[in-house]
Amino acid sequence: KLLLPKRIGIIGVSVRRKNFGRIILENILAEGFQKHNITIIREGEESIDDIKCVASLSALVKPVDLLVVAVEISQVPDLVAEVISSGCAEAVMVIPGGLGETAESIDRAEKVATMINASHAAKDGGPIFLGANCMGVISRPGKYDTWFIPEEKFPKDRGGSYHRAALISQSGAFMLHRSHQCPQLRPAYMISMGNQTDLTLGDMAHYFKGFADVDVIAVYAEGFSSLDGLEFCRAVRSAVLQGKDVIFYKAGRTPEGKAATSGHTASLAGDYMVCENCVQQAGAIVARNFTEFQDVFFLAETLHHKKINGNRLAAVSGAGFEAVGMADSIASDEYRMRLADFSEHSSWELAKIMESKKLSSLVNLTNPLDINPSADDETHALVARVLVEDDGVDALVIGLDPLSPATLTLDKRLEKLYGMDSEKSIKNLMIALSEESEKPVVAVIDGGRLYDPLRDTLINNGIPVFQVCDRAVGALSLYMQGRLDAQRLRSENSSHPASQIG
């Protein structure tokens, strides 16, 4: 009812000004939710934007699946009591802050939590509550968006494709900024947890662990409710054993960070190292910073269906510095990849390609493989194909050398001579290769905004693209290490099923 509601009610919509409630209404409609399935609770109005209004919660003809509460926090305790007593909603989203983030709001938070817990103890279990202090949910399958950011400030790809993924974040702003900076992240569900007054990170992880339409679960956490860290780890382990990818970032690494989380979403940050190690042992891929989190999440969304058989990487570039950068990025404290040894057959095929392209005198057949800036589109594609077909290679990172005069890497609207829509362009050749390959293929397009059309087209066709080679190799290495660790857990569990957490 929370993620796939059929009927939504909203309280807090202004008639004349663009307050949070009005923006939320506009975003719900923009995402495709039907007007006739929305009810606004607003005294003194018959309709707003052709949407029916009722004077109070008790005036609802039948309960709504989801009630969005966007009013002053002072009104929330009485509203919670009325929702519980009237049974007017199955799920409630509490947008405003002011339940536990500050010393002054602790009593209010305890009062609300007590009412909710008492309702859960009743026979019907009562409604569930998301928040408070949350941005709510974007549910692509549910066709609704309750974020209170105006479309003018954050235009969205409404109705576009999305991945079989869920992003669960204690901070709504974290999701907002990551998805704005990294629009290639397109999860089916984005859920802002806020203060976890009722629903917790563990609850959400437990829900999605068995959700058939989600393969990837990404979580940003600031802190856990009492004992919820253990429940979260149990859910992570179960999700991983069922074949899902789980990516995790925990805020509060330092004492200063712990203090900041407490003031943000009323979190108990706990011990960072204990949390990190428990979640990692449960099977999640743990990111150490925001950039790493969004990079690994991006790879998981795109590459979940690809096979990871080992940690042997093939790296190809048309620039010497890029080849060096790839080699320097294959190991860290968190992962250790190794450069693949090319088979004799692959080395022979590569030599034949270089000879036919008159590059033999310029290229050493080593890994990383620097194929020279004069290598054309076909050379890149032929080399890539040889390497992904090598049994000794588990993944390929390839720099597409966009600035080379030999490659077709520009949008034809900008430059016909180097148009990327040619049948034999690197774009079309790489897309065909990636579709055929069971192994991960990751591209690097190290250039400015001129090459955004090429990046976007490759990403839209299932090829992860990075602008810098070391980020590509580092993120892919961490992701592959996580996939291999998860496969080990599944293997151990099948041999010793009693070892599963819980």
Side-chain angles (χ1 to χ4, degrees):
K1 302 294 174 113
L2 173 67
L3 298 178
L4 299 165
K6 294 179 180 176
R7 297 180 306 281
I8 294 178
I10 311 175
I11 184 166
V13 177
S14 174
V15 179
R16 295 176 182 83
R17 64 188 182 89
K18 219 171 190 182
N19 68 343
F20 278 17
R22 190 62 174 264
I23 295 168
I24 289 170
L25 173 63
E26 291 175 357
N27 284 338
I28 289 173
L29 293 170
E31 193 64 32
F33 205 85
Q34 297 299 305
K35 283 186 175 184
H36 63 269
N37 290 323
I38 303 173
T39 304
I40 297 171
I41 295 85
R42 177 86 189 187
E43 190 174 7
E45 301 292 334
E46 290 188 4
S47 67
I48 297 175
D49 292 348
D50 298 324
I51 295 172
K52 181 183 176 182
C53 295
V54 297
S56 64
L57 292 174
S58 60
L60 287 166
V61 176
K62 56 182 178 179
V64 294
D65 294 325
L66 172 63
L67 176 66
V68 181
V69 176
V71 298
E72 289 291 328
I73 191 63
S74 60
Q75 302 176 50
V76 168
D78 289 342
L79 274 172
V80 168
E82 187 177 356
V83 169
I84 292 171
S85 63
S86 67
C88 65
E90 299 279 355
V92 184
M93 192 180 292
V94 185
I95 302 297
L99 285 182
E101 304 96 323
T102 63
E104 293 78 13
S105 67
I106 289 175
D107 288 344
R108 183 192 294 131
E110 289 178 352
K111 178 181 178 182
V112 170
T114 298
M115 288 190 289
I116 293 172
N117 290 337
S119 75
H120 290 334
K123 186 176 181 180
D124 65 355
I128 58 169
F129 290 80
L130 180 69
N133 190 24
C134 77
M135 284 180 59
V137 171
I138 293 179
S139 171
R140 300 287 179 79
K143 296 187 182 300
Y144 84 91
D145 169 3
T146 66
W147 287 13
F148 48 78
I149 308 302
E151 193 83 8
E152 295 85 352
K153 290 212 164 189
F154 187 11
K156 300 187 182 79
D157 180 20
R158 307 286 191 189
S161 63
Y162 53 82
H163 295 292
R164 293 168 53 89
L167 173 55
I168 306 163
S169 176
Q170 209 160 339
S171 165
F174 176 83
M175 286 197 300
L176 172 69
H177 290 274
R178 298 284 66 74
S179 56
H180 194 269
Q181 284 200 22
C182 195
Q184 57 266 42
L185 294 177
R186 295 196 293 268
Y189 302 94
M190 288 194 277
I191 302 156
S192 167
M193 299 299 298
N195 292 359
Q196 304 181 88
T197 305
D198 182 25
L199 289 176
T200 65
L201 291 167
D203 291 330
M204 281 297 173
H206 271 297
Y207 179 77
F208 280 112
K209 74 181 183 186
F211 194 73
D213 294 332
V214 164
D215 299 321
V216 179
I217 305 168
V219 180
Y220 166 87
E222 293 181 353
F224 293 97
S225 301
S226 180
L227 293 180
D228 194 55
L230 175 59
E231 283 305 314
F232 179 79
C233 287
R234 285 173 170 156
V236 169
R237 171 60 64 87
S238 181
V240 170
L241 292 180
Q242 292 180 62
K244 298 181 189 288
D245 292 343
V246 180
I247 298 94
F248 180 76
Y249 176 84
K250 172 67 171 67
R253 181 189 297 261
T254 64
E256 293 80 5
K258 287 183 183 180
T261 65
S262 177
H264 179 212
T265 49
S267 301
L268 295 174
D271 186 280
Y272 178 87
M273 291 302 294
V274 171
C275 176
E276 180 188 68
N277 278 280
C278 287
V279 175
Q280 193 165 40
Q281 287 181 47
I285 304 170
V286 177
R288 270 68 184 183
N289 54 60
F290 293 167
T291 301
E292 197 170 76
F293 179 88
Q294 71 185 36
D295 286 350
V296 176
F297 185 25
F298 173 42
L299 289 173
E301 279 193 325
T302 315
L303 300 178
H304 175 80
H305 63 292
K306 298 289 188 179
K307 290 185 177 179
I308 308 290
N309 297 318
N311 67 345
R312 300 162 299 179
L313 184 70
V316 178
S317 172
F321 85 91
E322 200 168 64
V324 173
M326 290 177 179
D328 280 343
S329 304
I330 63 168
S332 79
D333 292 339
E334 288 75 42
Y335 57 80
R336 186 160 296 278
M337 301 292 288
R338 64 188 183 89
L339 293 172
D341 296 320
F342 301 153
S343 69
E344 286 188 22
H345 177 73
S346 294
S347 296
W348 180 77
E349 289 286 348
L350 291 171
K352 198 164 65 169
I353 293 167
M354 296 307 144
E355 184 177 353
S356 68
K357 295 291 184 178
K358 298 181 170 49
L359 295 171
S360 298
S361 62
L362 303 173
V363 176
N364 291 317
L365 300 181
T366 58
N367 190 13
L369 181 60
D370 176 6
I371 58 175
N372 194 270
S374 57
D376 62 10
D377 300 63
E378 186 182 39
T379 305
H380 284 79
L382 290 171
V383 167
R385 184 172 292 279
V386 168
L387 295 179
V388 297
E389 291 177 354
D390 190 324
D391 291 337
V393 171
D394 299 307
L396 170 68
V397 176
I398 180 166
L400 301 186
D401 209 1
L403 283 81
S404 166
T407 53
L408 305 175
T409 53
L410 291 175
D411 190 326
K412 66 180 180 182
R413 291 171 296 179
L414 301 174
E415 178 52 70
K416 294 181 180 178
L417 181 61
Y418 301 108
M420 67 181 189
D421 290 327
S422 166
E423 183 181 351
K424 296 296 184 180
S425 71
I426 203 164
K427 178 201 79 175
N428 290 325
L429 294 172
M430 290 303 299
I431 289 172
L433 174 64
S434 177
E435 288 174 348
E436 296 169 22
S437 174
E438 292 183 333
K439 300 176 183 177
V441 176
V442 175
V444 178
I445 299 178
D446 195 340
R449 293 181 180 177
L450 193 61
Y451 303 100
D452 282 349
L454 176 58
R455 291 189 191 98
D456 292 343
T457 304
L458 291 175
I459 290 169
N460 290 337
N461 283 274
I463 301 177
V465 180
F466 290 82
Q467 287 183 277
V468 186
C469 65
D470 55 352
R471 270 183 69 176
V473 173
L476 180 62
S477 298
L478 181 59
Y479 175 64
M480 291 176 66
Q481 182 69 58
R483 286 278 300 271
L484 292 169
D485 290 344
Q487 287 168 201
R488 220 168 5 252
L489 274 178
R490 293 178 200 122
S491 176
E492 291 170 1
N493 187 75
S494 64
S495 303
H496 308 284
S499 66
Q500 181 177 350
I501 289 178

